[in-house]
Amino acid sequence: MQTLKSDTGNSLKKLKQPINLIVLVVLIGLTVFRLVLSAKAPYFTNLFAGYDDQLFIRYSEEILKGNWLGEYSTTTLSKGVSYSLFMVWSNKLHLSYGVSLGIFNILASSIAAIALRPLIHNRWILIFIYTFFLYSPVTLTSEYSTRIYRNTLVVPAVLLVISCLIGLYFRRNGKLRPFILWSGGLSLIFPFYWYIREDSLWLFPILTVGLVIIFGSVIFENNPNFKLKNIRTAIKKIHFTKQQVVKLILCFLPFVLLFSTVKVLKNMNQEHYGVALVNDRTSGAFGNVSKQLIRMDDGTELNEKNSKVWVSKKALEKAEAVSPALKSIARNIEWIYKGSPWSGGEDIAGDIIFWALRDAAAQADYYKDGKKTEEFWSKVDSELSSAYKKGQLKQKKEIYLTATGDGKLRKDLPLVGEFMKSGFDYNVFYKNYSQGADVTLGPKDDVGKAEKLLKHSFKENWQDINLPRTESPKVVKSAKISNRIIQLYRDITPVWLGFCALGFLIILIGSLFSKAQLKTFRGMLLILLGLVLSYLIFLIGVSWFCSWAPERKDMFMMIYTGAGVPVVQWIEVMAFVGIVQLPIIAKKINKKNS
């Protein structure tokens, strides 16, 4: 007890020191200002967007009513549930949506800075890193900040996953308590991140490889002279302490919680809808049917002439010819091309055909009962599989990255490269990022319900379609400030990238020639390589998917590449930290009293 009083007294004495008070005031000021920007931001939504904005609002409202995701339909199990749960938690805590989002961004930026504490002891540098992440332009631009849509959570969630993994790595051979905290944080955020979107797989490799490396490091942490070439000898000398055993178990915890979350969601959906699936659009029988339709050779040259079309009308006709189950809704499929809002008779581009196909099945009285619908698509899946085996259907000769994604021919790859270049410009140079005066659309009653859910008023930017505004909403003060911050980042980017390039060079040289800091430099280089490869996987995946619409290249790459920004910024920060690790600099800034 006396020791506790003594520690508290020492902490208060340190806090009263002028320099420490300045640090605290700066930190609080930056944090409060960012929270105010988030709370006062001009949020907007489109409640006519039944597959996007409106869908997540409806999920949240049904969860609050105790109805899980509502009545079963074509959209009920089509998207992840994390974003709606975030809105529900915010509502339950009596916080406005803007405040909750601000707190989440503050949390993510704080964890990112704290993750580097073993490498950096200087508080001002840590505050700089915290601020760099906290005011990131992607968290201020409309698509990732003020639109009531799941993209707002993607950036802080990715930042948290990477930060917790890096924080765990730098504490892998330290005390048990910090290891437990970082592993626990990673285990909680990863399942939440996984179900924000359906394309979360790209971050799985770095998590897996990172935890394998941490696992191996824990095994040999009692052997300071361990070298890879002496691994057989080292294995013979392995002896585990209780601390090591606990750490090794904790390395599996993120996967255990992810698989547990999958199991819980499947059980929930089984109970409410009769199908043990988390998503019935990208997985289950419909996911299998989508895969088979995408890969089908329709017997024409359309595949070579028009890469926009994933599944042609001709392909659907061939599928109907070998699948009696699909043939049973032929009249509804014909409606897609004659009378539906999806097409005016022409082939449908991209993955939109699958939303249309679900609507066609709904017209045939499916998507009212989950079990019946899954049985229908299972029958179609079985009949198409049989037709492929018998040679009635043939596959296109294309390159595929994912099961339900489109394939590419060699001639399509340059276009994918163009999309990658566009995405890179958005992620690194914050191209076209801004916050504006967007309007909220929707029926008055629905807007009122959304306001109640989000504890936010849309009266300043609501557009009544029956009574159009005479004036457009004005750009509010918080948006103007956000745009200035975004422009500041753009202005300093060329100089900042120069520093990062120097830092990367220092890390590379240090990992080859440094003696005193060899382990640190090689660890940083390993993290950098992992982040670069992860970003490359992400950028290829997004570009591959979006390249079916060349005319929408810039719009798509701005909307879908936001998750790449925290990865790029982590690469930049790690490179910057390489400069700080130079002994001549580290000696001056990493003082004990700093």
Side-chain angles (χ1 to χ4, degrees), residues 128 132 424-431 488-506 528 532 535 564-565 567-577 579:
F128 166 74
F132 177 70
F424 182 82
D425 288 342
Y426 280 107
N427 291 167
V428 177
F429 301 104
Y430 313 116
K431 174 185 171 185
L488 176 62
Y489 271 75
R490 284 200 198 102
D491 292 341
I492 65 173
T493 291
V495 177
W496 170 245
L497 291 179
F499 273 104
C500 294
L502 176 62
F504 182 81
L505 186 61
I506 290 170
L528 275 170
V532 169
Y535 179 67
V565 175
V567 183
V568 169
Q569 290 188 324
W570 252 118
I571 292 170
E572 293 170 351
V573 165
M574 288 302 299
F576 170 73
V577 172
I579 299 176

Side-chain angles (χ1 to χ4, degrees), residues 330-533:
R331 183 168 56 87
N332 308 102
I333 293 176
E334 187 178 0
W335 162 83
I336 294 175
Y337 300 96
K338 296 179 180 179
S340 83
W342 299 108
S343 169
E346 73 283 355
D347 279 312
I348 298 174
D351 66 331
I352 298 172
I353 182 62
F354 300 121
W355 293 103
L357 199 56
R358 289 162 74 86
D359 269 0
Q363 280 198 348
D365 284 334
Y366 293 104
Y367 288 101
K368 292 180 180 179
D369 177 277
K371 187 176 180 180
K372 178 184 174 183
T373 304
E374 184 67 12
E375 288 174 352
F376 168 73
W377 289 118
S378 293
K379 191 175 293 185
V380 176
D381 177 34
S382 176
E383 290 168 350
L384 291 179
S385 296
S386 177
Y388 273 109
K389 289 178 182 177
K390 294 176 181 178
Q392 294 172 295
L393 296 177
K394 294 182 180 179
Q395 289 192 1
K396 293 182 286 191
K397 295 179 180 179
E398 293 184 327
I399 306 168
Y400 295 92
L401 292 185
T402 60
T404 56
D406 187 32
K408 302 293 181 188
L409 298 171
R410 286 187 180 181
K411 71 177 183 64
D412 301 321
L413 299 183
L415 181 60
V416 174
E418 291 178 22
F419 272 73
M420 290 177 66
K421 171 64 169 59
S422 176
F424 182 82
D425 288 342
Y426 280 107
N427 291 167
V428 177
F429 301 104
Y430 313 116
K431 174 185 171 185
N432 294 340
Y433 282 180
S434 67
Q435 194 176 122
D438 300 280
V439 297
T440 288
L441 300 174
K444 187 176 182 179
D445 289 345
D446 290 349
V447 171
K449 291 177 183 177
E451 288 178 330
K452 186 177 179 181
L453 167 70
L454 302 167
K455 300 188 182 300
H456 174 83
S457 174
F458 292 110
K459 66 179 181 180
E460 296 299 327
N461 66 355
W462 175 50
Q463 175 69 67
D464 185 347
I465 59 172
N466 297 316
L467 189 64
R469 284 174 175 264
T470 55
E471 295 181 3
S472 299
K474 295 180 180 179
V475 178
V476 299
K477 188 174 181 179
S478 63
K480 291 178 181 178
I481 294 172
S482 296
N483 287 331
R484 287 173 187 166
I485 294 171
I486 293 170
Q487 187 58 49
L488 176 62
Y489 271 75
R490 284 200 198 102
D491 292 341
I492 65 173
T493 291
V495 177
W496 170 245
L497 291 179
F499 273 104
C500 294
L502 176 62
F504 182 81
L505 186 61
I506 290 170
I507 292 172
L508 185 60
I509 294 172
S511 66
L512 294 173
F513 303 109
S514 175
K515 293 182 180 179
Q517 294 175 279
L518 185 64
K519 188 176 181 181
T520 298
F521 279 124
R522 287 187 175 176
M524 294 176 69
L525 182 63
L526 187 66
I527 291 171
L528 275 170
L529 291 176
L531 290 170
V532 169
L533 289 173

Side-chain angles (χ1 to χ4, degrees), residues 314-331:
K314 186 70 176 177
L316 288 175
E317 290 173 356
K318 291 194 73 171
E320 290 173 17
V322 297
S323 170
L326 194 63
K327 184 69 176 177
S328 69
I329 63 167
R331 183 168 56 87

